[in-house]
Amino acid sequence: MREWQNSWQVVAMAAEADLVLSSVQPFKSEEVESYKCTGYRSQDKGFHVENALVHVFTRSHPYTTPVRVTMKEIVGDQRVQYYVPIELSDFMTRDFLCSDPVHPIKLVQDYVVNGLEERCCITMATKPPPFLLNSEQRQTASLDGDDVTESHCYEIQLLRQEPLTQRVNETELRCQLAYLDLKEKNTDPIESCVKSGSTTDTAVPNKSKNGRSMEGLHVNPTGEYRPDKATPDVHKPNEDPSGVERPDVDTEKGSVGVFFVLRPSLLPQMEEMTARRGEAKERGDLQTGKVVPVEEQIDGSHCRENTGASIGRMFGISGLVFRDVPISPWAPPVFHQLLLRGLFPAACQPITSLGQTLERLLSPHGVSVVKEAGCLYLTAQPMGAVGRVFASVGKHAEGWVQVTVSLNLDLIASCLFSLPDWRLLWTRDPCFSKCFDPCLPLHPPLGEPQPSMPLFRQPSLFSRRLSFDVSFWKGPSAWDDRKFHALAREACLGVVEKVELVDFFSRQEQQALRTSYCYRVTYHSHSHALSHTKALDLHRRLESLLCSHLHVTIR
């Protein structure tokens, strides 16, 4: 194999023209009619065509620029409005679990749930809980079962908060006022919002296509209510025409007024549902024959008379969770979590039983089950932990145990479909979903071999990794490493694969202590054309954001 500098560098040159190498095929000259090898400048000595290859290039899907996203939700007894951190804006309105039945994440959830139903009856919630957790939920809900700490939470400052004064309709109850990327030619913002129960700041008729009222749900990106304004006001993250402060980047976390966080886990909402179930029992609703809503059926005690292979009943919820983690290849800041919980007789050893079923489903795809301190951890290489099965803390009758299953659907989907990077799950390339079969084989009966998932064909072959260092001076104020990673995600349009702190040192200058930091940023994309020129432009944009938002001096 030739050295890089002595090769054609065909992938790198194609990336400069916004092309990606999609396939490499053998060239069979005998199958091409009237083909004649003329050689260099039509000389007698022709080119060698034996073992020749044909490189097929495809136009790269365009990059998505992050936009300001405003959300409005009902959290507890409050109606709140807030900005989403800009680096997370592209994740908020995708809704893979509902709108796209052939997306790998949806396929994996159905695959796991169908497999676990051999051991227990599972009921999935149909209404997703709010994205925000309030201060009461943060204090009372335990996140230890999901290995989440306070440092993993995205703290949110509200733009507007008001108590609920009247009953809201179903559409407003789960309202996501998101400012979609209206520049997408093939996306109808009204249709997209109707599907997700949200609206944009556009001209929306009084009734949506499903007949529900859409009045009074207009908010612009600056946080001001504009019920009569029909023109969208979507702007880039660096553009703040209203002068509104950027709470997600510029405002110090932990300051006065921060009472909410983006949910780092679905456990708090699950615990609330479990608590409501207990309150219903105390009121005697079950004894009086009152029908319990699906969302409240947690422990399944009313269906313990079920016989056969089932060991009980579980309730499940799934949705996005957000974790403020450093940039690394297999640490997504946003992923889909599947949470299942049920109350089982301790004699049937539910943790072991559920672990064996998950192992049978996932072990053919590289997922192993490891027992540690009474819990089962699902691990895979190179991802690390992808799930957990553990006994939940709570008040239960003697001889019963409450078991929770927590799964990272994004990482499991990467294992099952042999994806080289979790970021491929979030690509906006419409060809991505076409690579997957909507009729995946269901789990086989016990004792039969497990069917293999179809392998994913990468849209970009032999994509290059490009690394650049950024060094800067920081003043005497405390340095927050998480803000650097947040700006890197915002500036680099989803193509940052890894960020490493290479070196740092401090120096006393004119009665002030200054610290120098040097980070190495690695750029890599499996779905977009990433040329040296493009990567360098993104890196310079990162330097500009560092200077303007973190007030550092580039070295």
Side-chain angles (χ1 to χ4, degrees), residues 263-490:
R263 63 188 186 205
S265 171
L266 293 173
L267 277 175
Q269 282 93 348
M270 179 67 82
E271 291 181 359
E272 282 191 349
M273 294 175 184
T274 305
R276 290 201 302 267
R277 171 71 177 177
E279 293 174 359
K281 284 186 176 182
E282 293 178 1
R283 292 193 304 266
D285 293 339
L286 297 181
Q287 286 76 8
T288 58
K290 181 179 178 179
V291 178
V292 181
V294 171
E295 288 78 7
E296 309 257 353
Q297 298 175 4
I298 304 298
D299 60 16
S301 57
H302 58 284
C303 56
R304 288 175 190 157
E305 68 276 11
N306 291 346
T307 58
S310 177
I311 61 174
R313 185 184 183 97
M314 302 188 80
F315 174 77
I317 55 177
S318 59
L320 291 177
V321 295
F322 311 85
R323 297 186 182 177
D324 192 356
V325 295
I327 299 176
S328 62
W330 293 105
V334 181
F335 63 90
H336 296 80
Q337 183 183 42
L338 172 63
L339 205 61
L340 304 171
R341 175 171 287 182
L343 193 65
F344 304 93
C348 69
Q349 298 182 339
I351 293 181
T352 301
S353 178
L354 293 173
Q356 291 174 348
T357 303
L358 289 171
E359 186 174 20
R360 185 177 68 86
L361 291 171
L362 303 178
S363 60
H365 310 288
V367 179
S368 58
V369 179
V370 180
K371 187 174 183 179
E372 182 179 336
C375 302
L376 296 181
Y377 289 88
L378 282 70
T379 62
Q381 295 298 329
M383 296 86 170
V386 298
R388 191 181 182 195
V389 183
F390 56 95
S392 306
V393 178
K395 298 179 180 179
H396 316 300
E398 185 178 355
W400 292 85
V401 58
Q402 185 172 258
V403 178
T404 302
V405 178
S406 174
L407 301 177
N408 185 323
L409 294 179
D410 293 50
L411 297 186
I412 293 178
S414 299
C415 290
L416 266 61
F417 293 101
S418 301
L419 301 182
D421 196 315
W422 64 268
R423 292 175 295 170
L424 280 170
L425 295 167
W426 297 90
T427 179
R428 291 186 178 272
D429 190 344
C431 297
F432 177 75
S433 295
K434 298 179 182 179
C435 300
F436 302 95
D437 186 359
C439 301
L440 282 178
L442 297 179
H443 58 286
L446 290 173
E448 294 188 10
Q450 189 73 17
S452 60
M453 293 288 182
L455 294 178
F456 171 67
R457 179 177 166 183
Q458 296 186 34
S460 177
L461 302 178
F462 309 110
S463 53
R464 294 180 61 197
R465 285 179 173 84
L466 299 167
S467 296
F468 299 98
D469 290 352
V470 55
S471 301
F472 51 87
W473 288 104
K474 175 62 178 175
S477 59
W479 171 248
D480 190 347
D481 186 72
R482 293 186 299 175
K483 290 185 177 180
F484 178 89
H485 288 264
L487 283 180
R489 289 191 173 102
E490 175 187 339

Side-chain angles (χ1 to χ4, degrees), residues 70-127:
T70 304
M71 304 290 287
K72 181 179 179 183
E73 293 185 311
I74 306 298
V75 182
D77 58 352
Q78 300 286 323
R79 180 186 285 106
V80 300
Q81 179 186 336
Y82 60 95
Y83 281 148
V84 174
I86 293 182
E87 68 270 20
L88 305 181
S89 62
D90 194 41
F91 299 98
M92 304 300 293
T93 58
R94 309 299 291 277
D95 202 16
F96 296 141
L97 293 177
C98 299
S99 61
D100 193 351
V102 298
H103 194 276
I105 294 176
K106 174 65 172 176
L107 297 176
V108 167
Q109 174 175 289
D110 294 343
Y111 174 75
V112 172
V113 170
N114 290 335
L116 288 176
E117 283 186 334
E118 288 185 351
R119 307 302 300 164
C120 57
C121 179
I122 298 178
T123 302
M124 294 296 297
T126 56
K127 296 179 182 178

Side-chain angles (χ1 to χ4, degrees), residues 50 64 76 173 201-202 231 237 267-268 294 324 366 382 408 452 467 470 493 511:
E50 297 179 0
T64 301
L173 182 64
D201 191 20
T202 56
T231 304
L267 277 175
V294 171
D324 192 356
N408 185 323
S452 60
S467 296
V470 55
L493 308 181
Q511 299 180 352

Side-chain angles (χ1 to χ4, degrees), residues 75-78 132-143 150 161 258-261 267-269 271-272 275-276 279:
V75 182
D77 58 352
Q78 300 286 323
L132 287 189
L133 298 179
N134 58 29
S135 57
E136 181 179 354
Q137 291 171 316
R138 294 174 62 182
Q139 294 174 359
T140 60
S142 172
L143 297 175
E150 287 293 327
Q161 180 180 8
V258 177
F259 300 101
F260 294 82
V261 297
L267 277 175
Q269 282 93 348
E271 291 181 359
E272 282 191 349
R276 290 201 302 267
E279 293 174 359

